Amino acid sequence: MSLIRELLPRHRPLRRALACILLLALGLRLAGLFWGLPGEEFYFPLHPDEWINIKSPRDMVMTGDLNPHFFNYGSLHSYLTWLVFLVVKPLGLLSTPTSWFVAARLPVIFMGVLTVWLMLPIGRRILSERMGLLAALMLAISPGHVMHSGFYTVDIPSIFFATVGLWFALVLLETGSLRWIAASGFAVGLAAATKYPMGMALLCPLAALALRGRWIDRPGWDWPWLARGLALAGAASLLAFLIGVPYALLDFPAFWKDMSYELFEHAMDGHRGLFAATGNGLAHLFGVNLPYSLGPSVLLFGIPGLFGILHRHREKGIVLLAFVVPYLLLLAFAKLRFMRYTLALSPFFGLGLAWFVLQVQAWFAERRLARRRGAPVVLRLSLVILAFAWPLMLASLQARSLLRTDPRIAAARWCKSYLPAGTRIGMMDHPNWYAAPLSPFNRGEPASFYKDEPRHHWDFSLLVYWDEGRLRQQAPEWFVMSEFMWSHQLELGTPAAKRVLAVLDRDYDLVASFETFPRAERWLYGNPRAPHDWLYPFPTQRIWKHKTPALAPPR
C-alpha cells in the first residue's frame, strides 16, 4: 500500500468519519485564532512567547536578513513563517499588528490538524483502520494539543514532524527498507530544527532499526546492515537539522550562546525557580501536567493501552515506548515543568487509548455481553463517556473560554469605565502580559512604560517585590492583581506576599473579579491547581477598593 493511500480509509463511511474528525479538530483549534492579539488597547500579545517568536520572521521580511539572531528555539519555524509572510504581504494582508499574528498562527493550526490525520496511518500500521480513526479522534479533542495549536509557538509544529518520523519508523519496522530510516531520520531532524528536545524522537526509528537488525535465518545481528542504517539515520537527521537551522554553521557563536543557555542555565535554574513549589517532579507530572494536557481519562486508559500494545504487538510497542519512557523520565526529573512539554506525548497516549477501547469492545463481543442488559451496557457506556466525552468537554470549555473576552482585557476596560483619570491604582509590577493592560505597554522594557507616562490614564503605585511598607505608605485607592501573582507566591509560601495579601484583605474590599475558566470547572481535570502555562489564556483578575475610613465620633 502506498503512503498516500494509507492516509485515506478504504471504505466510504470511514472516510466520512475521518472528514468529521478533521473538521472537529479544525473547529476546536480555530477558537483560539484571535485570542490575546495586540491592538490599540495593548501593544504586545497576551501569550508571553509569541512576540519573541514572531520577531525573527518579521525582521526577515522587513530587512532581508535571513539570520534569525535568535536560537533559543530552532529556526525552522521562523523560516516557514517567513515564507508565509512573503506570500501574504503582497496581498496587503499584513497591514495591522493583529494580521501578522493571525498569518503566523494559521499554519500552526493546520499542522495540528495534519497531526490528527497522521494518527490514521499510524494506527493502521499498529492494528487497524478503526484504531487509527479512534486515535485521530483522541488527538482531535486532546485539551492541551487543541489549546496550543492556536498559539504561534514551536510545540505543535515540532510534534507534527516527530509524528511523521514515527509513521516512517513503523514502515521501516514492517518493510526493513533502509530508505525509511533515512526518511524517518530526516523528519525527526526537522522536528529538532523546530524544537531541540524533539530530537529524542530519533529513538523511535533507531528502535525499529534495531528490531529489524537480527538475522532471519540464523542467530545474531546483521552488523553491516545496522551500521548502514545508523549512518543513514545520523546523516539524514543532521542534514534536516542544518536545513532548518543553517546559521548553526554560519553563525555558530550566536547559535551556541542561545542553545547553551537553554541547555545549561535555563534548564538548571528552572525558569528562575518558577517551579520550586511544585514538589516531587513525578507527582507533578502525573498529577497536574498530564491531566491538563491529555485529560484524566486519556491518561487513565492510555497507559494500560500502551503496555497492551507492547504485550500484543511487541515490536511496535517497543518502537512507541522507545520515546515515551525516556521522555517521561526526562520530564519527571527536570526542573522545567511547563505543561506544554508533555504535548509531545499526546499522539502516543491517543494510540494507547484507542487500542484499549478496541480491546475492551472486543472482550465484550467475544463473551456476548454486548447483547445483555444491565451492568455490561452501563460499563460500555461509561467507557465511551470517559474516553471520548470527557476530553471533548474539556476542549470545548477551553474553546468557550478563548472566545470570551480575556480577563485581563475585561479588567482594564472595567477600570477605564469606572475609575476617573488621576486615580491612584496599585499594581505588583509594571504592566506585563500576565496583568490587566492598564498601560498599552504590556510587555518590553520598563523604560517604555515610564517614557509613555504622560499618556497614562492613572497614577500607578508599583509594589515591586511585594513591598508591604510601600502599600501602607502610598495606600492606593484601587488595587489590581493577576492570578499569576498571588497563586505562585502562595504556593511558595512567601512571607512578604502573605503580608501584602493580608493588608488587602483587611483594608480593601474586593469589588470586581474577572475569569473565563472558573476554578470550580478546573476540578474537571482532576486537580484545580492548574499548570503555569495552562493559565496563559485564563488568569483570573481581581480589583480591590480601599475601604472608606470611618468618621471620628463627635465630641
Side-chain angles (χ1 to χ4, degrees):
M1 180 185 298
S2 69
L3 292 186
I4 300 299
R5 291 182 180 179
E6 285 191 41
L7 289 169
L8 292 174
R10 295 185 181 91
H11 305 293
R12 189 168 294 176
L14 294 182
R15 292 184 180 182
R16 295 195 189 103
L18 175 63
C20 291
I21 290 171
L22 295 178
L23 286 174
L24 174 63
L26 179 62
L28 288 172
R29 285 157 177 78
L30 284 173
L33 178 61
F34 295 100
W35 166 81
L37 295 181
E40 294 183 359
E41 292 181 278
F42 50 93
Y43 301 154
F44 295 90
L46 297 183
H47 191 289
D49 297 330
E50 285 188 313
W51 78 283
I52 300 173
N53 292 340
I54 205 169
K55 186 177 184 303
S56 293
R58 187 172 182 177
D59 288 349
M60 291 177 192
V61 173
M62 295 299 188
T63 67
D65 181 10
L66 296 184
N67 186 342
H69 301 286
F70 178 77
F71 299 100
N72 297 66
Y73 305 129
S75 55
L76 177 60
H77 194 206
S78 295
Y79 288 123
L80 294 177
T81 308
W82 166 67
L83 292 175
V84 173
F85 288 168
L86 287 181
V87 172
V88 300
K89 192 173 187 297
L91 303 177
L93 300 178
L94 298 179
S95 56
T96 64
T98 298
S99 60
W100 287 85
F101 286 95
V102 171
R105 284 180 174 183
L106 278 171
V108 180
I109 292 174
F110 289 122
M111 282 186 172
V113 175
L114 288 175
T115 309
V116 171
W117 196 346
L118 288 174
M119 292 295 98
L120 173 64
I122 292 174
R124 173 187 275 160
R125 288 278 175 179
I126 295 173
L127 182 64
S128 65
E129 277 187 358
R130 290 184 63 198
M131 178 179 171
L133 285 172
L134 287 178
L137 178 59
M138 286 301 99
L139 191 58
I141 60 178
S142 180
H145 197 274
V146 167
M147 183 167 71
H148 282 265
S149 292
F151 303 150
Y152 178 60
T153 53
V154 298
D155 301 282
I156 299 303
S158 67
I159 293 169
F160 166 72
F161 291 121
T163 306
V164 173
L166 173 63
W167 178 22
F168 292 163
L170 291 172
V171 177
L172 165 67
L173 184 65
E174 291 190 12
T175 64
S177 172
L178 286 180
R179 64 175 178 169
W180 295 112
I181 188 69
S184 183
F186 191 86
V188 173
L190 295 178
T194 307
K195 186 176 181 179
Y196 303 132
M198 289 308 295
M200 286 186 64
L202 192 63
L203 293 171
C204 293
L206 290 181
L209 180 71
L211 290 168
R212 290 289 304 197
R214 299 184 67 90
W215 289 109
I216 298 175
D217 55 349
R218 62 180 185 272
W221 299 84
D222 186 351
W223 293 111
W225 186 85
L226 282 171
R228 291 196 302 273
L230 284 172
L232 280 173
S237 58
L238 179 61
L239 175 63
F241 181 82
L242 292 177
I243 289 174
V245 194
Y247 282 86
L249 293 177
L250 300 176
D251 190 4
F252 180 77
F255 166 76
W256 180 246
K257 178 178 176 291
D258 289 351
M259 186 178 182
S260 61
Y261 166 77
E262 291 293 331
L263 291 176
F264 303 116
E265 294 183 42
H266 193 211
M268 293 299 103
D269 70 8
H271 203 72
R272 297 180 296 278
L274 178 64
F275 303 99
T278 54
N280 179 270
L282 191 65
H284 185 76
L285 175 62
F286 282 92
V288 180
N289 279 348
L290 283 172
Y292 272 81
S293 175
L294 303 172
S297 60
V298 180
L299 179 62
L300 178 65
F301 299 137
I303 293 175
L306 284 171
F307 284 99
I309 294 174
L310 179 65
H311 176 68
R312 295 285 186 87
H313 316 275
R314 180 175 172 273
E315 293 184 340
K316 296 171 183 176
I318 290 174
V319 171
L320 297 179
L321 293 176
F323 173 79
V324 172
V325 173
Y327 195 73
L328 281 173
L329 291 174
L330 176 66
L331 295 181
F333 291 101
K335 291 185 179 180
L336 288 172
R337 298 174 181 177
F338 290 109
M339 182 203 75
R340 60 181 179 269
Y341 294 169
T342 66
L343 296 178
L345 297 166
S346 301
F348 296 88
F349 276 86
L351 291 165
L353 186 142
W355 186 91
F356 182 85
V357 169
L358 288 177
Q359 296 307 307
V360 172
Q361 295 286 351
W363 185 83
F364 277 112
E366 288 174 2
R367 288 155 180 77
R368 298 186 178 180
L369 293 175
R371 300 177 184 178
R372 299 182 185 179
R373 297 179 180 179
V377 176
V378 173
L379 289 174
R380 296 183 71 201
L381 182 61
S382 301
L383 176 65
V384 170
I385 292 174
L386 285 173
F388 296 93
W390 196 347
L392 177 60
M393 175 180 59
L394 296 176
S396 300
L397 288 174
Q398 290 178 174
R400 171 215 64 184
S401 300
L402 289 169
L403 290 170
R404 292 176 172 176
T405 301
D406 186 275
R408 287 157 287 198
I409 300 174
R413 290 174 179 173
W414 189 93
C415 291
K416 292 174 184 176
S417 298
Y418 294 102
L419 307 188
T423 300
R424 173 164 287 189
I425 299 178
M427 296 183 69
M428 290 308 307
D429 202 349
H430 308 92
N432 213 315
W433 63 269
Y434 51 75
L438 301 183
S439 165
F441 287 98
N442 62 319
R443 192 67 193 265
E445 295 298 327
S448 301
F449 171 76
Y450 289 115
K451 183 179 179 181
D452 197 51
E453 196 167 5
R455 289 170 49 198
H456 290 166
H457 196 62
W458 302 286
D459 178 20
F460 290 105
S461 174
L462 304 179
L463 302 185
V464 182
Y465 303 119
W466 295 88
D467 190 342
E468 175 202 3
R470 189 167 185 174
L471 176 61
R472 289 177 177 276
Q473 178 184 3
Q474 297 191 358
E477 184 180 357
W478 299 85
F479 203 92
V480 182
M481 192 188 303
S482 169
E483 181 180 1
F484 274 109
M485 299 303 295
W486 76 71
S487 63
H488 178 57
Q489 295 299 327
L490 287 178
E491 288 178 357
L492 289 172
T494 307
K498 291 182 178 180
R499 289 194 295 269
V500 168
L501 292 172
V503 172
L504 289 174
D505 186 54
R506 182 181 65 250
D507 299 341
Y508 289 75
D509 291 319
L510 180 64
V511 296
S513 181
F514 302 91
E515 57 185 3
T516 55
F517 207 110
R519 185 176 178 84
E521 293 181 358
R522 298 178 193 176
W523 278 104
L524 295 171
Y525 292 91
N527 189 339
R529 179 187 178 187
H532 174 79
D533 48 337
W534 182 90
L535 276 177
Y536 284 173
F538 311 127
T540 300
Q541 306 291 308
R542 291 178 180 173
I543 301 175
W544 289 266
K545 186 181 187 299
H546 201 285
K547 296 178 180 178
T548 304
L551 296 176
R555 294 181 178 178

